[in-house]
């Protein structure tokens, strides 16, 4: 399986976060919109081209419903929402997603969801 981490933060911050949680070793590439020269959702499609992966076979996991999950869907990827119970833009409760959005509460729930996607 080809894997890349695409984050909306600085490269060094993304590397630190992945290493901190023991996830860095699972990714062949770590990319940010800056390295890709594009903002989300275009960054997701650009990352797929860079990794020679069909977007329909790719998954994006993010904690922001609009800029992570819905933007990934616009680029043709499967978006999975890590719903942390807060809207990071407003500070209020999580936004309401429609029933088609794949949602997890914890990253440990991810393997089960991945087995149910086409990606």
């Amino acid at each position: 399986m080809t894997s890349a981490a695409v984050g909306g933060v600085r490269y060094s911050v993304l590397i630190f976060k992945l290493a901190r949680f023991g996830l860095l070793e699972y990714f062949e590439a770590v990319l940010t919109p800056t390295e890709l020269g594009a903002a989300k959702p275009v960054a997701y499609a650009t990352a797929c081209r860079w990794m020679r992966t069909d977007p329909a076979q790719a998954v994006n996991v993010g904690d922001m419903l609009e800029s992570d999950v819905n933007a990934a869907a616009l680029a043709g990827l499967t978006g999975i929402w890590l719903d942390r119970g807060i809207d990071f833009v407003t500070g209020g409760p999580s936004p309401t997603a429609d029933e088609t959005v794949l949602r997890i509460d914890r990253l440990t729930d991810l393997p089960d969801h991945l087995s149910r996607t086409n990606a």
Side-chain angles (χ1 to χ4, degrees):
M1 174 190 323
T2 302
S3 58
V6 178
V9 296
R10 286 189 329 261
Y11 179 81
S12 60
V13 173
L14 186 54
I15 291 285
F16 173 79
K17 287 181 177 183
L18 291 169
R20 179 177 171 209
F21 292 103
L23 299 172
L24 186 57
E25 67 185 86
Y26 295 101
F27 296 97
E28 295 171 42
V30 177
L31 309 167
T32 68
T34 300
E35 280 79 32
L36 294 167
K40 299 173 187 176
V42 175
Y44 295 126
T46 303
C48 287
R49 282 193 304 278
W50 195 85
M51 296 297 294
R52 293 179 171 81
T53 299
D54 180 354
Q57 298 299 312
V59 171
N60 182 68
V61 179
D63 57 10
M64 303 273 296
L65 181 60
E66 281 303 315
S67 64
D68 293 333
V69 179
N70 293 342
L74 286 173
L77 289 75
T78 297
I80 298 179
W81 183 26
L82 175 58
D83 182 2
R84 298 181 187 268
I86 187 170
D87 182 326
F88 292 109
V89 175
T90 67
S94 292
T96 303
D98 69 49
E99 65 279 350
T100 63
V101 172
L102 297 174
R103 185 184 156 279
I104 58 175
D105 295 315
R106 299 174 299 282
L107 283 174
T108 54
D109 297 334
L110 186 57
D112 182 52
H113 274 68
L114 290 176
S115 67
R116 290 187 269 147
T117 69
N118 291 331

